[in-house]
Amino acid sequence: MTTVRTVAPFILTLGLFVMFHGADSAGGGFQGGAIAGTVVLLLAFAFGIRAVRDWLNPAAVLGLVAAGVGTFLLVAVGSLPLSGEFLQYTAYPVPHASKYGIELVELGIGALVAGVIVGLFFLVAVGFDPGEPLEDEP
């Protein structure tokens, strides 16, 4: 448990690093979101699924997914009123709009992937009780 407490912030930092450097090097929103989402799974394996489920607010996980989708759509569709096309970053009147636009899209995708991974994990784990015998056991 002490190892997980020590390592978890570094894994989350690695996930954010991979997310933000996806435009310039290997990685991206999907890979970084998967790394960041697995931090919660690591905590659940170390401290127990029920304890982490009680600690983590389901509305926060849903909000993470919604924020990811909203960020992506805001950047993607926001260029249309500025006489740009879908995901045309140069339509924004901001210096280095492509760089910032790509990073925002990667962050949105990362938030979406992390939220989906955590949500699916808890949906699958909701019926699992380690004290219960399996169906095929007598």
Side-chain angles (χ1 to χ4, degrees):
M1 290 185 188
T2 305
T3 304
V4 172
R5 283 189 198 135
T6 305
V7 170
F10 293 107
I11 297 173
L12 185 62
T13 304
L14 173 68
L16 292 173
F17 176 81
V18 170
M19 235 183 280
F20 283 120
H21 284 75
D24 300 330
S25 62
F30 187 87
Q31 294 88 342
I35 294 169
T38 55
V39 170
V40 177
L41 278 64
L42 179 71
L43 293 171
F45 291 141
F47 298 106
I49 295 171
R50 188 174 310 267
V52 174
R53 186 184 313 134
D54 292 341
W55 169 74
L56 191 64
N57 187 1
V61 176
L62 186 60
L64 189 64
V65 172
V69 171
T71 302
F72 178 80
L73 287 177
L74 184 69
V75 173
V77 180
S79 60
L80 295 176
L82 301 171
S83 19
E85 296 179 12
F86 186 76
L87 277 175
Q88 183 181 359
Y89 307 118
T90 57
Y92 291 102
V94 177
H96 308 291
S98 293
K99 179 181 185 316
Y100 296 128
I102 290 171
E103 287 180 358
L104 276 173
V105 165
E106 296 290 348
L107 184 65
I109 291 171
L112 173 66
V113 169
V116 167
I117 286 175
V118 171
L120 286 176
F121 173 74
F122 284 119
L123 281 175
V124 170
V126 74
F128 178 71
D129 186 12
E132 251 181 52
L134 298 175
E135 290 178 8
D136 51 345
E137 290 180 2

